[in-house]
């Protein structure tokens, strides 16, 4: 199955908007307990006949009656046309809820193409640095932007903001050189829960004595 789970232009437009809002918003305090992580990502994917939308019980059968798309949804036969909805909610792994709001963009005898949005909610993450597996049941690319006060962790990581120095923004928890200036990248790979992983690739947007602001892409990998 050839799968694209995010239109790049849309991701960056969403990211720009999020960064602007974050710049105007409050900074995350160091004593704020992380009880849930939520990501929202645009979705664009292609499903061939006989294949499922990844991680769901929605199967594309092919062209059906009256040139409609024939599907199995939860084992039940369904016929859909261009613009029709394909929503799905489920818990692919314990403590993680996925909510897909999709629409059929177009289809033919070779494939069905859908677009929409996804929402991933991860309950009580336990952050651990690990190598993220290459194979996955579901993968999503979400634009993110965060503002952290001094000593607060970047959500989903074990990196925290120490403060401003002559070398740049100082971070703790990073192996090696801990300083980043505006525009520099910060990369993290780790596990959020059993079967749920995070690749975070953000850049420093702004920092001062009060806090650090970053923005970029979070790749959420569900690989039970």
């Amino acid at each position: 199955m050839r799968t694209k789970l995010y239109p790049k232009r849309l991701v960056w437009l969403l990211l720009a908007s999020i960064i602007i809002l974050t710049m105007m918003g409050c900074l995350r305090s160091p004593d704020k307990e992380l009880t849930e992580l939520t990501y929202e990502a645009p979705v664009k994917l292609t499903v061939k006949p006989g294949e499922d939308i990844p991680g769901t019980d929605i199967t594309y059968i092919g062209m059906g009656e009256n040139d409609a798309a024939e599907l199995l949804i939860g084992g039940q036969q369904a016929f859909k046309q261009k613009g029709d909805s394909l929503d799905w909610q489920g818990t692919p792994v314990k403590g993680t809820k996925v909510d897909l709001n999709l629409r059929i963009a177009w289809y033919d005898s070779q494939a069905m193409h859908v677009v929409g949005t996804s929402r991933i909610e991860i309950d009580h993450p336990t952050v651990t640095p690990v190598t993220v597996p290459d194979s996955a049941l579901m993968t999503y690319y979400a634009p993110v932007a965060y503002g952290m006060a001094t000593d607060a962790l970047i959500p989903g990581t074990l990196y925290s903001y120490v403060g401003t120095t002559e070398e740049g923004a100082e971070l703790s928890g990073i192996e090696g050189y801990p300083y980043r200036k505006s525009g520099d990248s910060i990369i993290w790979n780790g596990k959020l829960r059993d079967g749920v992983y995070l690749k975070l690739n953000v850049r420093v947007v702004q920092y001062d004595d009060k806090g650090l602001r970053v923005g970029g892409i979070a790749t959420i990998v569900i690989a039970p």
Side-chain angles (χ1 to χ4, degrees):
M1 176 177 57
R2 181 172 59 87
T3 303
K4 289 185 178 180
L5 290 170
Y6 68 107
K8 289 184 178 179
R9 290 183 180 179
L10 180 55
V11 165
W12 288 109
L13 284 172
L14 289 172
L15 176 58
S17 300
I18 292 172
I19 288 176
I20 291 172
L21 292 173
T22 301
M23 292 287 288
M24 299 170 60
C26 298
L27 296 170
R28 179 181 177 82
S29 63
D31 57 352
K32 185 177 181 180
E33 183 183 0
L34 185 64
T35 59
E36 183 181 83
L37 277 171
T38 300
Y39 301 96
E40 296 189 7
V43 174
K44 178 183 179 182
L45 58 88
T46 299
V47 184
K48 295 180 180 179
E51 293 180 339
D52 299 337
I53 292 177
T56 77
D57 58 359
I58 301 174
T59 307
Y60 180 53
I61 302 301
M63 296 291 289
E65 299 175 359
N66 300 317
D67 292 329
E70 182 181 357
L71 302 102
L72 288 177
I73 302 176
Q76 295 181 314
Q77 187 182 45
F79 294 95
K80 298 274 187 175
Q81 296 184 335
K82 294 178 183 178
D84 284 354
S85 63
L86 278 178
D87 294 345
W88 182 86
Q89 291 183 349
T91 303
V93 295
K94 183 179 179 181
T96 301
K97 178 183 176 183
V98 176
D99 189 347
L100 299 178
N101 291 285
L102 307 175
R103 293 276 173 179
I104 297 175
W106 62 280
Y107 55 87
D108 56 24
S109 60
Q110 303 300 312
M112 177 180 67
H113 308 269
V114 300
V115 296
T117 60
S118 61
R119 180 181 175 88
I120 305 98
E121 298 176 359
I122 302 163
D123 186 44
H124 287 88
T126 302
V127 178
T128 309
V130 298
T131 300
V132 177
D134 294 328
S135 60
L137 175 65
M138 310 169 86
T139 304
Y140 299 97
Y141 303 87
V144 294
Y146 301 119
M148 287 72 58
T150 54
D151 297 325
L153 293 170
I154 299 174
T157 79
L158 296 179
Y159 298 159
S160 64
Y161 179 54
V162 176
T164 181
T165 71
E166 292 183 359
E167 291 83 2
E170 183 179 358
L171 299 168
S172 69
I174 288 183
E175 292 186 9
Y177 192 75
Y179 305 104
R180 301 292 190 274
K181 293 186 177 180
S182 294
D184 287 351
S185 61
I186 301 171
I187 299 173
W188 164 268
N189 291 281
K191 183 171 70 172
L192 300 175
R193 289 187 64 104
D194 287 342
V196 186
Y197 302 84
L198 170 66
K199 292 182 179 181
L200 188 68
N201 192 336
V202 296
R203 291 187 179 271
V204 175
V205 177
Q206 184 268 341
Y207 63 94
D208 54 30
D209 292 337
K210 295 181 179 179
L212 168 73
R213 290 179 170 88
V214 300
I217 301 297
T219 303
I220 301 93
V221 176
I222 300 176

